[in-house]
Amino acid sequence: MTLLVEGKRFEFAMKDDADINGEVLNKCDGRIRWSRQMDSLLSLVGYCVGLGNLWRFPYFCNRNGGGAFLIPYLVCLVLIGLPLFFLELSIGQFSGSGAMHVWSICPLLKGLGFVMSTASFICSFYFNLIIAWVLYYLAMSFYPVLPWTTCSNWWNTPACATWESDTTRDNLTVSRSVSVSSYVSARRLNVSTSAAEEFWQYSTLRVSAGLHDMGGIQWHLALALFVAWFIIFLCLIKGVKSVGKVWVEAMLQMFYSLGVTWGGLHTIASYNRFSNNCYRDAVIITFLSEGTSFYAGFAIFSVLGFMAESKGVHISEVIQAGPGLGFVVYPEALALLPVPQLWAVIFFIMLLTVGIDSQFGTTETTVTAIVDTFPNKLQRRRGLVTACLCGFSYISGLVLVTRGGIYVFMLIDRYVATFSLLVVGILECVIIGWIYGAGRFSADIQMMLGRRPPVFMKLMWCFVSPVLMAICFILTLVQYQAPTYGDYEYPTYGVAIGLFIGLVSMVPVPVCMIKELVKTKGSFVERVGTCLRPDSSWGPISRKHRAEYSKPVEESSWKNFRIYKW
C-alpha cells in the first residue's frame, strides 16, 4: 500500500503486497518503507551530515593539532568508517529490522541492540541542546546590532575586545542579576577575549564556576530547548521522513560524523527496498559527509587565522578549544560581512535544519526500538510513544540548561562514545566476519545486490577494522586523562559520573547473554553454540528471497574460517 505524505511516497509493508521489483515483503509489520531510492539516499544524507560535521569536527581538529589530526582521521575513515557504514546498511536492509532486532543474527549478543538504542537516546538527549543554542543565536540575529559584536552589554567583562581594535575596555559596570565575577577566572580577566566569546560564555551559557555550582535554570535556554524538542516531535509523530590520543580522537569523531555503531543506520536501512544499492549509498554518503567536515574545518580555521593576524597572537591564543568554538568563530565571521544580520539569520537557519535532520535519525532509532519491542501494543500508538520520549528528554535535559549545564554536557560528550561505541564496533566485526561468517554475509549481500562485496570490505570486517578499534580501545584506557573545560578540571566525583554514563549502556550485553544462555537447553557448550547461530527470525525481509534462503551446510565458526571461502 502506498501513502503520500508531504509530497513524498512511502509504502507500508502489508501482507501480500509486491513492490515494483516483484519482491514480496515477508510479514505485515506496519513499517513504512522508502518507495524511491532517492528518498533513502537523502535520508542518509540528512542523518550523517549534521552538527557532528559543522560543530564537532572543527573543535576536535583544533584540540588535536589542526592539520595533524587529518591524517589519522582519513585513515580511520577508509579503514573503519566506510566498512562499518556498509556493514550496517547491509544488515539493516537485508533483515528489514531496526537496531533492537537485527542482532537475531547472533542471539548471544542481542544486547548490542540495547546498547545502540541507549547510546542513541543519550546522544539525542544532549545533542538537542546544541539545537537550542542555535535557536538562541537565531533569535539574537534579528537584533539591529548583533550582540556578539559589541562590548557594551551587561554580560561583558573588562577583558572584552572587538577585533576592530587592539584596545580593551578598562571600565565596565556589570549590572542585572548575573555576577560575571562569579564565573570568570582571574587569569581570564587578564587576557583579552573577543566579544563573540564573551557572548557565548556569559550570555548564552552564563557558565558557573564548576560542576559543584549548578546554579538555577537559564530560562532563555529552557525555552529554546522546549522549542527544539517540539520541532523533533512534530517531525517524528508520523514516523520516518527523509531525514596515540589523536588517533583515538580521530576514530571517535569518525563515529560521530558518520553515525556508525549508534543504530541509526540499521534503522534507516530497514526501511529500504530489499534490492536497494546500499554499497553505492555507503560510498557516496561517507565521502559526502566527511567532505562537509573538511569544508567546515576550512571555514573555521580561515577565520581563526584572520583573528590571530588581527591581534598579532598565535592562533592557539585566539580562543580556547572547546564545544563553543563554532559558536564563537562562525558569528565572528558573519559579523564581518555586509548586512551581518541577514547572513546570521540564513546561517543559523541552515544549522537548525541540518541539526534537526540528524536528530530525526537518532531519535527515530530510540522510538523504533521501543515500538519494535512491543509491536502489538505500540505500533498504533507511535505518536504517543514519540510524545512521551520527547517530553521525558526535555524534562531530563533541563539539567543541561542550568549555569553548570555545560559541565554536564562535556561529561556526556566525552564519555558516551569513549567505551561503548568502540566495543560495539569491534563486536559487529566479530559477529559478521567470524561468527556468522564473511562468506555467508557476502552471499546475503549478493542476494540483495546481485554481486558480492569487494574483497577489501571483507578484509576490513575480519581483520583491519576490529584490530584498529581494539588498539584504540586499549590506548583509551592506557592514556586516559580526566576531562577539562577551559581552565576547569573535573573533580573525582565528576569523572565517576562520566564513567557511569559511558559504561551504563554496556550493561545489557552481559544481561542478555545470561538470559539467552538460561533459556536455551543443553550443556553449557551446546547452549553457547546455539546462541551463536542465527535464530528463526533471521533472514531476508523479502518473502520471495526468504523462500529461497538456506544456510550453508558447513556453518561458519572460529575454527573452520578460511580465506578461500570468500
Side-chain angles (χ1 to χ4, degrees), residues 429-445:
C429 290
V430 170
I431 291 172
I432 297 301
W434 294 92
I435 298 177
Y436 184 72
R440 292 174 63 182
F441 192 61
S442 297
D444 294 344
I445 293 175

Side-chain angles (χ1 to χ4, degrees), residues 164-273:
E164 297 176 353
S165 171
D166 290 335
T167 61
T168 61
R169 301 186 308 111
D170 295 325
N171 299 299
L172 174 69
T173 301
V174 180
S175 59
R176 302 193 184 182
S177 60
V178 178
S179 174
V180 175
S181 61
S182 67
Y183 49 78
V184 180
S185 66
R187 191 189 72 81
R188 293 290 285 164
L189 284 174
N190 295 326
V191 179
S192 64
T193 56
S194 69
E197 185 174 2
E198 292 206 346
F199 176 79
W200 161 252
Q201 294 282 8
Y202 312 137
S203 174
T204 305
L205 300 181
R206 303 179 189 180
V207 61
S208 69
L211 198 61
H212 61 281
D213 180 17
M214 295 301 293
I217 293 176
Q218 303 303 301
W219 292 107
H220 64 294
L221 288 182
L223 177 61
L225 185 64
F226 175 81
V227 173
W229 276 115
F230 186 67
I231 293 173
I232 296 298
F233 167 70
L234 292 179
C235 295
L236 287 178
I237 188 172
K238 291 187 178 180
V240 296
K241 302 287 187 293
S242 295
V243 284
K245 181 176 181 294
V246 175
W247 283 87
V248 175
E249 298 270 67
M251 185 175 297
L252 293 178
Q253 173 56 29
M254 181 270 299
F255 285 143
Y256 272 94
S257 293
L258 286 181
V260 293
T261 71
W262 293 96
L265 295 177
H266 301 89
T267 302
I268 293 175
S270 70
Y271 299 106
N272 285 350
R273 289 181 174 276

